[in-house]
Amino acid sequence: MRYYILKNVLRQMRFVLLLILIATTGCKKKNDDNTGQSKGLKVYYSDFFPVGASVGSSNLTGDESILLIKEFNSITAENAMKPGPIHPSENNYYWTDADKIVDFAVANGMKIRGHTLCWHSQTAAWMFLDATGGTVTKDVLLQRLKDHIKTVVSRYKGKVYAWDVVNEAIDDDNSKIYRESSWYNICGEEYIAKAFQWAHEADPDALLFYNDYNTESASKRDKIYNMLKKLLDAGIPVHGIGLQGHWSIYWPSETDILSSISKFSSLGIKVQITELDVSVYSSSANFSVRTPGDDTFTSDMEQKQINFYKAIFRDFRTNKNVINGVTFWNISDRHSWLDNFPVANRKNYPLLFDKDLKPKKAYWEVVNF
Ligand code: 9MR
């Protein structure tokens, strides 16, 4: 009888112990330590990929800099390394802002993504003009591109670990392949391969990316895939694709994003999300007449954004073997380039921190896994 009671007590104790174990394991899975304090995106994602943000030199002091250091372990210059700002005239490079960003990253042990060496936008007009103001020849333009790339990449050699070498070279229009930029119109598609070769020569250790937006549109995805395949087949040093990730709570679908990750990585290259933000407006919601309250962050937007962020970060984690970086475009909802685009002065709320730099609900969904 006594033996029977003891056996029952032990069995019940085992059951209680099991419950305690399940409960504590459940808590462990939750990254939120219930204090409402975040440990930092870079800590939660240390087993997955670096997490970055794009910055300007004005973000490197004050509360934004504290948040940057705590949350992120990678940085991209939002504008300072682009051809126009850094190379405003033929014999003049402006390094001050880019240097500040690089120094900040080095001082705080952060990785640096270089953005960008060759782009149709934010490139000073002199690049495409000869001394008489006419269009420059292909030979001269390629020589200028070479000089530009060699000078910029060499300066940050060993500090910038990855470069967006060519940005946005593919057209959005289904009937066209390459964007008819001055680069393309003067050089043809050759400038793309050359840019990668020269970047590789200047820093053989840097990871070289092709970077673009709307990479989840099926036709643009295919065009980019074909271009990358052609480059890789020709032995051009392309190591990765940057999916910019300028997405919204309405677009793209998870399936579209997963298709892009899988299609591009099938080429044997890495995938990074390089400019992530999740707009709370659909691309067609370009209202021009604003009434008070038009641009508040509604609970419907908030919930849709929570769901979107939760899903994409789950997908990024699942694909950690091919994704080797996720970078947000800007730091918090205090300021985003989307506050002015495509509708001037319309406030947007695309990031994981609010305007007071506090983690939003979406943040907790991203880190609690
Ligand atoms: O965020 C950048 C903004 O401050 C600039 O005014 C704009 C100029 O075109 O470029 C923005 O960054 C772009 C990035 O360099 C490339 N992908 C699209 C980004 C948003 O336009």
Side-chain angles (χ1 to χ4, degrees):
M1 180 69 174
R2 222 191 264 158
Y3 170 75
Y4 180 75
I5 293 171
L6 191 68
K7 216 173 129 190
N8 249 344
V9 167
L10 279 175
R11 190 175 291 154
Q12 278 176 15
M13 272 175 68
R14 247 179 24 206
F15 181 66
V16 171
L17 276 173
L18 190 69
L19 279 181
I20 292 172
L21 193 73
I22 290 170
T24 49
T25 321
C27 285
K28 251 195 185 157
K29 261 185 77 185
K30 288 266 178 202
N31 277 320
D32 182 356
D33 57 9
N34 294 327
T35 62
Q37 294 291 313
S38 71
K39 292 184 194 142
L41 288 164
K42 65 180 180 188
V43 178
Y44 300 121
Y45 277 85
S46 59
D47 289 338
F48 296 90
F49 36 72
V51 186
S54 75
V55 300
S57 52
S58 65
N59 303 127
L60 307 179
T61 52
D63 54 357
E64 287 181 313
S65 73
I66 295 167
L67 186 81
L68 278 172
I69 294 166
K70 179 180 176 193
E71 296 285 341
F72 301 97
N73 51 3
S74 178
I75 247 180
T76 305
E78 183 180 5
N79 289 297
M81 288 190 189
K82 290 171 178 172
I86 213 166
H87 198 174
S89 58
E90 186 159 16
N91 300 311
N92 171 29
Y93 283 87
Y94 176 76
W95 301 114
T96 312
D97 288 346
D99 281 359
K100 272 189 201 158
I101 293 169
V102 170
D103 291 348
F104 176 86
V106 170
N108 293 293
M110 299 162 122
K111 286 174 165 288
I112 306 159
R113 295 195 84 258
H115 176 83
T116 173
L117 297 170
C118 181
W119 192 22
H120 66 277
S121 181
Q122 281 184 289
T123 302
W126 71 265
M127 183 73 87
F128 307 107
L129 299 176
D130 66 18
T132 64
T135 303
V136 85
T137 64
K138 175 175 175 177
D139 283 352
V140 171
L141 185 55
L142 287 178
Q143 185 60 47
R144 285 179 179 175
L145 179 63
K146 181 177 183 180
D147 292 344
H148 173 79
I149 289 178
K150 294 242 164 168
T151 308
V152 176
V153 174
S154 302
R155 184 175 183 92
Y156 299 120
K157 188 173 176 177
K159 293 180 177 168
V160 167
Y161 85 104
W163 276 102
D164 290 332
V165 177
V166 177
N167 197 39
E168 304 172 2
I170 295 293
D171 209 290
D172 288 299
D173 185 336
N174 286 349
S175 66
K176 295 177 180 165
I177 299 177
Y178 292 100
R179 181 189 293 274
E180 288 166 8
S181 63
S182 297
W183 293 110
Y184 183 78
N185 290 337
I186 299 170
C187 305
E189 63 184 274
E190 195 183 329
Y191 79 92
I192 300 171
K194 292 283 186 208
F196 279 96
Q197 278 170 334
W198 291 325
H200 187 60
E201 282 167 21
D203 185 354
D205 294 328
L207 296 177
L208 305 182
F209 284 76
Y210 173 73
N211 193 50
D212 214 330
Y213 63 90
N214 280 356
T215 44
E216 293 62 51
S217 127
S219 74
K220 197 164 175 188
R221 180 198 293 133
D222 288 349
K223 289 190 285 186
I224 295 173
Y225 174 91
N226 292 339
M227 176 191 72
L228 292 174
K229 181 154 190 347
K230 198 167 161 186
L231 290 168
L232 291 163
D233 288 348
I236 303 301
V238 182
H239 309 119
I241 168 124
L243 314 181
Q244 290 187 1
H246 291 300
W247 295 328
S248 84
I249 55 177
Y250 302 102
W251 182 90
S253 70
E254 228 181 315
T255 314
D256 290 335
I257 295 173
L258 286 168
S259 300
S260 291
I261 294 171
S262 132
K263 180 146 190 164
F264 292 125
S265 62
S266 75
L267 289 166
I269 57 174
K270 292 292 182 190
V271 177
Q272 291 205 2
I273 317 302
T274 52
E275 305 184 15
L276 180 59
D277 42 29
V278 180
S279 168
V280 297
Y281 305 105
S282 74
S283 58
S284 55
N286 295 341
F287 59 82
S288 50
V289 182
R290 289 176 63 217
T291 51
D294 263 353
D295 61 0
T296 51
F297 187 42
T298 66
S299 53
D300 181 52
M301 290 169 176
E302 181 179 49
Q303 192 53 54
K304 287 191 168 75
Q305 192 181 53
I306 290 171
N307 298 345
F308 194 98
Y309 266 122
K310 183 177 178 158
I312 59 173
F313 271 84
R314 184 182 56 226
D315 295 336
F316 299 162
R317 290 192 301 274
T318 311
N319 284 283
K320 71 170 189 175
N321 56 328
V322 292
I323 293 184
N324 66 350
V326 174
T327 297
F328 289 86
W329 209 243
N330 299 125
I331 305 167
S332 75
D333 290 350
R334 181 180 291 177
H335 161 76
S336 155
W337 73 286
L338 289 168
D339 291 339
N340 281 306
F341 185 88
V343 177
N345 298 319
R346 180 182 62 181
K347 182 77 195 130
N348 210 320
Y349 307 86
L351 296 155
L352 289 184
F353 300 92
D354 68 16
K355 62 178 178 31
D356 299 319
L357 311 187
K358 298 275 175 286
K360 289 158 67 177
K361 285 184 194 159
Y363 177 100
W364 296 111
E365 293 301 327
V366 163
V367 302
N368 282 331
F369 52 84

